[in-house]
Amino acid sequence: MAFPDEVLTDEEEVVLHLHPHAKAAVRPVLVLLADLAAVILVWVMLPPTTGGLIGVLVVGAVALFTGLTRGVWPLLVWRTTHYVFTDERILLQDGVIARARRDLPLNRVNDHAMRQTMLDRVLGCGTLKIDSIGDQVAVLESVPGAQRVQTLLYQLIETDRELRGDGEDEEADEEETPSTARQRGAERRALSPVPRPGSRRPRR
């Protein structure tokens, strides 16, 4: 399912749009295949009698229930979960029927960490934890290409800070401090009276 563009501002651009890693779809697909195989097996093995028909209907009902709850529904949840990175914020959206969305502006992100299990390292995915100002935490689970996504997030944050001009004044002060100190020292030496040879400073 596509991400709705109407939630973006006019000048906002999507940099990266992801769903959770495809490993989340493996189990639901296996459940659907197992249910289908069970129905076919029972249909072939049971005799074409009333009892056989009842057995097929019972197995079919169980397969339908497990297929919907453990097969179709997890697939819908997987496809309706969106991780969207724009040049202004991070959007997290999920929900099949009731939809929930969370926005994290880039200028409020103060820390981000990535965690991988052994299986995640093999599959190239991971869990990305993003800390925002105000003790708000967002956890992105099963992010495909987690290392690449974390690097991209760092670049987006740095670019956003440069565009907003955050930290320029502090950097300017740090760069001007040595020269300003030397200039002030020269001014003090120029203003202070030069003592003549043999003269003494008056005591206070």
Side-chain angles (χ1 to χ4, degrees):
M1 297 182 181
F3 185 79
D5 294 334
E6 62 268 14
V7 303
L8 304 176
T9 62
D10 295 336
E11 299 180 356
E12 190 174 9
E13 295 183 1
V14 175
V15 180
L16 187 63
H17 179 195
L18 299 172
H19 296 282
H21 194 271
K23 71 175 185 179
V26 174
R27 181 178 296 179
V29 171
L30 292 178
V31 170
L32 292 176
L33 292 177
D35 290 340
L36 180 61
V39 173
I40 294 175
L41 181 62
V42 171
W43 179 271
V44 173
M45 297 297 295
L46 293 181
T49 60
T50 303
L53 180 60
I54 294 176
V56 172
L57 292 177
V58 171
V59 173
V62 174
L64 179 62
F65 176 78
T66 57
L68 290 176
T69 57
R70 300 186 179 182
V72 176
W73 183 260
L75 288 176
L76 291 176
V77 172
W78 170 55
R79 291 303 298 174
T80 55
T81 301
H82 301 269
Y83 302 148
V84 181
F85 296 81
T86 73
D87 55 353
E88 298 180 4
R89 53 182 169 164
I90 305 169
L91 295 94
L92 311 177
Q93 178 173 300
D94 58 13
V96 179
I97 300 176
R99 180 176 298 174
R101 192 183 78 221
R102 183 177 182 183
D103 299 350
L104 292 177
L106 294 176
N107 61 347
R108 297 184 63 84
V109 176
N110 55 16
D111 187 28
H112 50 86
M114 189 265 298
R115 185 181 71 256
Q116 286 181 311
T117 63
M118 183 62 68
L119 180 61
D120 290 339
R121 295 183 62 183
V122 174
L123 298 177
C125 60
T127 300
L128 190 61
K129 180 181 177 182
I130 303 175
D131 295 332
S132 179
I133 297 176
D135 295 333
Q136 297 182 357
V137 179
V139 179
L140 285 64
E141 298 181 354
S142 300
V143 179
Q147 294 182 351
R148 177 175 57 88
V149 174
Q150 187 182 22
T151 302
L152 176 63
L153 177 58
Y154 174 78
Q155 294 174 350
L156 290 175
I157 294 173
E158 291 300 316
T159 302
D160 182 75
R161 288 177 179 175
E162 291 177 359
L163 293 177
R164 294 177 181 274
D166 295 344
E168 290 184 355
D169 296 338
E170 296 179 358
E171 294 179 357
D173 293 341
E174 293 177 357
E175 293 177 356
E176 294 177 1
T177 298
S179 60
T180 304
R182 288 193 297 268
Q183 183 178 359
R184 290 180 179 177
E187 292 176 355
R188 291 194 185 99
R189 288 193 297 270
L191 294 176
S192 60
V194 179
R196 297 179 181 178
S199 62
R200 298 180 178 177
R201 293 184 178 180
R203 296 181 179 178
R204 296 182 180 179

